């Protein structure tokens, strides 16, 4: 696993995310059990596993949408603690794309994109608007800039959500099942956008069951079950030669259809 | 191989559009509906013509005594209202100083006009001025004592002026206070939360009339000897606190309707609590509860009549006083109809404005 197996930008040796012995409970329920994960700059990781296995919870801990109770999470050299300063610092560096887009329905597409740069990065409005247009062009919907999210299709909304995250100029992007709420014909346009992003060298953590996407862009596939990381490997090894029985069972289920 | 020729767009059938179509779908769509339509038409026929005859056709409008009304009965005597009109509007305010109230009213209208002009660039600043600067100007205009203006005691403010002062102060204070209370009630900080819950439940649990009464009878007992707390100010505080509890619950219902994903997206982008509330959550939540907010405002507007019991003379109190005038006995229908009409105009305008606002803020479907 020392070399990058897939074509695309070279992964550096510098660590950008570290999870060390992370545990999390929801009340009595132990959701994350001793999670250890190291992510290098530029790495593209796909996380899969059965429903309820803690995938969302894990990536939501990385930007503190959920709080972990034990262990350490270090992002870009900053450790996540109760210190609000550290949390803000990390959230600026980490973009997130949700299953249900979570665009702000009362703002236009462009305003959705400008909001955080203006209020969090204190960027001048004009500059933020120009940057927003640039990213909307990147996700191929500059012509929708003046519309409201409610007037767009699901695929377009998700691409706006990606552009909105990119406007903060993050060094890491988290995706939580970005295509699961979409119709099949829209999945492709979103995946294409994500592939392009991967080619630009972005560090990406992506919860998805799109195995084609995993094969083409991921450096590493992580399989989770019952709150644990069961197996992680290069995509070709992961799919062709799974080690654990649970992985095999899971793969047989999702590849069956 | 057959090729498909697209069909041309045909106009809709004549019976589904136009006047006939409208009548058919709305009034005569079924037997039951037809019966209801006819019954309603009959009720209107029975009530409306006599009402118009009384209020408009046979009514007396001009003059300064009740003689014409007594000579020719059967119509409304609006002379009663026109003779007393100034008192209904300005209460016991000195007649020579009416211009000060008029000036304040005109100033408010002039300041508000640009707020409704779409291209006006300094809306936010002007809005702030109307909320925080204007009340100071209006206060000094009304009360005087500066710039050579004669001092007028607040106890002499009255009539519709007082109603409007109380209502607008109540609205302007209870709205932001209600929002803060609603946010506080949903706060994760236990102390903030319990303070807000106790406050809301206390003020919602007591009738406004007791609040007003206690504010004028009990409050002075708690205050140090000799502090003279203005009666009008006490009424304003009482009404504002009382209504803010209601407002808080209205706003909270809106906050609850906002999906969790909106909070999370705002957080994930690094917005602070107050930024995400003011930029993301409140604009959506308040838009959802416009009907509830306006409902509260309308209730507040009408509740201001209760200040009568602590000896403030709002418009209704002035009308009551006029009805007791021995020279004008027997015109309570005219007096109360006039009051009802004025209140209705204001409340109906608020309701229309809120509907226009809802339409304006509509931004397509939520997904
Ligand atoms: N706020 C919460 N309170 C209590 N339990 C929760 C909460 N959120 C999630 N859980 C539980 O934690 C477990 C892991 O949830 P998580 O959302 O991380 O799963 P997931 O792997 O993302 O599943 P899916 O593929 O369905 O999205 C689930 O059993 C879920 O029921
Ligand atoms: Mg999930």
């Amino acid at each position: 696993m020392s070399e990058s197996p897939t074509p695309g930008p070279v992964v550096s040796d510098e660590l950008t995310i570290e999870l060390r012995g992370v545990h999390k409970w929801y009340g009595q329920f132990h959701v994350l059990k001793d999670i250890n994960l190291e992510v290098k700059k530029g790495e593209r990781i796909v996380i899969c596993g059965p429903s309820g296995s803690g995938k969302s919870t894990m990536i939501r801990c990385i930007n503190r949408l959920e709080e972990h109770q034990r262990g350490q999470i270090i992002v870009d050299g900053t450790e996540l603690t109760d210190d609000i300063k550290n949390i803000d610092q990390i959230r600026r560096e980490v973009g997130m794309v949700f299953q249900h887009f979570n665009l702000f329905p009362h703002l236009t597409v462009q305003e959705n994109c400008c909001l955080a740069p203006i209020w969090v990065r204190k960027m001048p409005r004009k500059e933020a608007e120009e940057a927003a247009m640039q990213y909307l062009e990147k996700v191929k919907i500059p012509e929708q800039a003046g519309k409201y999210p409610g007037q767009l299709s699901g695929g377009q909304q998700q691409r706006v959500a990606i552009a909105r995250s990119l406007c903060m100029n993050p060094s890491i992007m988290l995706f939580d099942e970005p295509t699961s709420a979409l119709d099949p014909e829209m999945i492709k346009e979103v995946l294409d956008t994500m592939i392009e992003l991967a080619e630009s060298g972005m560090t990406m953590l992506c919860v998805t069951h799109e195995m084609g996407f995993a094969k083409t862009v991921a450096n590493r596939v992580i399989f989770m079950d019952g709150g644990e990381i069961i197996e992680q490997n290069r995509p070709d090894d992961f799919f062709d030669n799974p080690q654990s029985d649970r992985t095999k069972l899971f793969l047989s289920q999702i590849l069956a259809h | 191989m057959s090729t498909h020729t697209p069909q041309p767009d045909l106009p809709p059938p004549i019976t589904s559009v136009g006047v006939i179509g409208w009548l058919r779908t709305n009034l005569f769509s079924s037997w039951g509906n037809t019966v209801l339509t006819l019954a309603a038409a009959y009720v209107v026929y029975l009530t409306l013509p006599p009402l118009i005859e009384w209020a408009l056709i046979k009514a007396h409008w001009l003059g300064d005594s009740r003689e014409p009304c007594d000579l020719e009965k059967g119509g409304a005597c609006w002379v009663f209202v026109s003779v007393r009109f100034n008192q209904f509007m300005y209460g016991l305010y000195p007649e020579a100083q009416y211009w000060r109230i008029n000036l304040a009213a005109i100033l408010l209208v002039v300041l508000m006009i640009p707020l409704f002009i779409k291209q006006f660039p300094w809306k936010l600043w002007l809005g702030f001025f109307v909320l925080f600067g204007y009340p100071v100007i209006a206060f000094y205009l009304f009360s005087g004592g500066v710039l050579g203006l004669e001092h007028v005691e607040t106890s002499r403010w009255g009539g519709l002026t007082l109603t409007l002062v109380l209502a607008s102060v109540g609205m302007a204070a209870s709205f932001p206070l209600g929002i803060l209370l609603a946010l506080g009630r949903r706060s994760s900080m236990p102390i903030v939360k319990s303070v807000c819950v106790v406050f809301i439940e206390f003020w919602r649990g007591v009738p406004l009339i007791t609040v007003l009464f206690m504010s004028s009878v009990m409050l002075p007992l708690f205050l140090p000897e000799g502090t003279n707390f203005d009666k009008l100010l006490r009424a304003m505080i009482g009404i504002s606190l009382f209504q803010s509890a209601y407002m808080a619950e209205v706003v909270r219902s809106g906050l609850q309707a906002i999906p969790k994903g909106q909070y999370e997206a705002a957080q994930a982008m690094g917005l602070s609590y107050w930024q995400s509330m003011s930029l993301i959550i409140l604009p959506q939540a308040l838009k959802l509860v416009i009907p509830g907010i306006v409902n509260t405002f309308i209730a507040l507007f009408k509740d201001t009549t209760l200040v009568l019991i602590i000896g403030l003379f709002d418009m209704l109190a002035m009308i009551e006083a006029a009805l007791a005038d021995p020279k004008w006995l027997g015109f309570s229908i005219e007096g109360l109809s006039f009051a009802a009409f004025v209140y209705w105009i204001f409340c109906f305008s608020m309701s229309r404005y809120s509907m226009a606002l809802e339409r304006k803020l509509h931004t397509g479907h939520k997904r």
Side-chain angles (χ1 to χ4, degrees), chain A residues 75-141:
Chain A
V75 182
D76 249 352
T78 312
E79 183 175 352
L80 266 177
T81 55
D82 285 335
D83 191 349
I84 193 88
K85 257 216 205 111
N86 289 3
I87 298 176
D88 283 345
Q89 169 70 27
I90 287 171
R91 282 181 179 161
R92 276 174 213 215
E93 289 308 313
V94 180
M96 183 154 193
V97 175
F98 300 85
Q99 180 174 3
H100 295 288
F101 331 135
N102 298 354
L103 293 175
F104 306 131
H106 63 301
L107 300 175
T108 63
V109 165
Q110 194 179 22
E111 288 165 345
N112 262 279
C113 293
C114 295
L115 194 83
I118 291 174
W119 291 93
V120 180
R121 286 223 187 272
K122 313 284 176 211
M123 196 187 270
R125 177 171 293 272
K126 196 117 192 281
E127 209 175 300
E129 280 171 359
E130 278 162 16
M133 285 315 291
Q134 211 178 316
Y135 284 111
L136 286 173
E137 252 156 57
K138 219 172 179 174
V139 301
K140 305 197 175 59
I141 32 175

Side-chain angles (χ1 to χ4, degrees), chain A residues 60 91 103 105-106 152 157, chain B residues 261-262 264 267 279 363 367:
Chain A
R60 287 157 61 88
R91 282 181 179 161
L103 293 175
H106 63 301
L152 304 184
Q157 291 193 53
Chain B
Q262 295 287 311
E264 290 178 349
Q267 274 186 341
L279 298 167
T363 57
R367 279 188 223 234

